[in-house]
Amino acid sequence: PVLAPLADDVTLLVGNVHAIRAMLGLGAEAEDAATVARAVRARHGARAVAVTMRDVLSASRHRWQAGWYSDAE
């Protein structure tokens, strides 16, 4: 993927699981937030990864969450 070199040695990478997988070319094995964060940190040297998650409750209601993964895990 074209964007993968831009992620090398970043301090913080923020995104949702699907966007991170698509932009950085992570395989199907990276399905959950923790696995994606570990893969980004291992492959690209990110010091921290914040993964956003959205649950659609209805057409007008959404629940947002985020996970933080860093050396301090």
Side-chain angles (χ1 to χ4, degrees), residues 5 8 15 21-22 30 32 35-36 55 65:
D8 289 344
R21 284 180 58 202
D32 61 69
T35 305
V36 166
D55 294 324
Q65 301 177 49

Side-chain angles (χ1 to χ4, degrees), residues 4-27:
L6 297 175
D8 289 344
D9 298 315
V10 298
T11 301
L12 170 64
L13 186 112
V14 180
N16 68 52
V17 169
H18 304 293
I20 292 171
R21 284 180 58 202
M23 289 187 286
L24 301 182
L26 300 179

